[in-house]
Amino acid sequence: MSDNITILGALIVLGLSYPATLTACWLLFPERVESARIKIIEEPKRSFWIGVLAAFVAAIPGAFFFAVQAQFFQILGWIWLAVVLGFASLGSAGIAADLGLRLNWKNDGAFLSLGAFLRGALIWELSAILPLIGWVLVIPVGTLLSLGGTIRTFIKKKDPQDEIVDPE
């Protein structure tokens, strides 16, 4: 009986930690999350393919770190994986923010922004839990989309206004 309670408690803690992580990203990096949200919503295909490319580039050092049998390199591999997934969580917070905005729009603005975001994060998490569709479609595509949106956020293009030099 205590094993069942332990497993249930662990699942509850894991279920609460993902929306909490997305909320922390949203509160700590609001400009980055909003920029990632806009980039993912405006051009999802481009964000997805940039995410695929970024995942392949990130897999090269990851494969090297995990292939070397020294414990130091194994630890570096786990740190590298955490950094890459941390970048993807910024984009995932953007997707959760957009889901919250859409949910709030459907409800005629009845939710506060934090409440709408938490509802969006919960919807995003529950869609990934769904067997087969969530595991095979939502998690991989969502992660690549999130990673691509975050990479596009960090790549800044210069505005034409910035390049104009004042002759005075």
Side-chain angles (χ1 to χ4, degrees):
M1 182 67 181
S2 65
D3 292 339
N4 293 339
I5 294 173
T6 303
I7 291 171
L8 183 64
L11 289 175
I12 289 172
V13 168
L14 285 174
L16 294 175
S17 65
Y18 188 65
T21 302
L22 295 181
T23 305
C25 289
W26 182 62
L27 292 173
L28 291 173
F29 309 107
E31 294 88 15
R32 296 288 185 188
V33 170
E34 182 62 21
S35 177
R37 182 189 74 81
I38 290 169
K39 299 217 186 277
I40 290 170
I41 297 308
E42 286 180 353
E43 295 181 284
K45 289 180 185 176
R46 187 171 181 196
S47 294
F48 175 77
W49 289 112
I50 289 175
V52 169
L53 180 67
F56 280 129
V57 169
I60 294 169
F64 170 75
F65 287 142
F66 285 120
V68 176
Q69 294 299 318
Q71 286 183 344
F72 176 72
F73 286 105
Q74 296 283 319
I75 291 171
L76 285 179
W78 285 108
I79 291 172
W80 178 249
L81 182 65
V83 166
V84 171
L85 290 177
F87 274 113
S89 68
L90 287 175
S92 189
I95 293 173
D98 190 65
L99 289 172
L101 283 174
R102 291 177 188 212
L103 183 64
N104 204 11
W105 177 73
K106 292 283 187 186
N107 246 351
D108 296 326
F111 304 133
L112 297 175
S113 62
L114 180 61
F117 179 83
L118 285 173
R119 285 173 176 87
L122 188 63
I123 289 169
W124 185 237
E125 178 187 27
L126 292 176
S127 68
I129 293 175
L130 186 66
L132 207 56
I133 294 172
W135 302 339
V136 176
L137 188 65
V138 174
I139 292 174
V141 172
T143 302
L144 294 174
L145 190 65
S146 301
L147 186 60
T150 304
I151 297 294
R152 289 184 61 210
T153 297
F154 282 101
I155 297 173
K156 289 190 176 186
K157 292 183 180 178
K158 290 188 177 183
D159 290 334
Q161 304 270 341
D162 295 341
E163 295 181 9
I164 298 174
V165 179
D166 194 16
E168 295 177 30

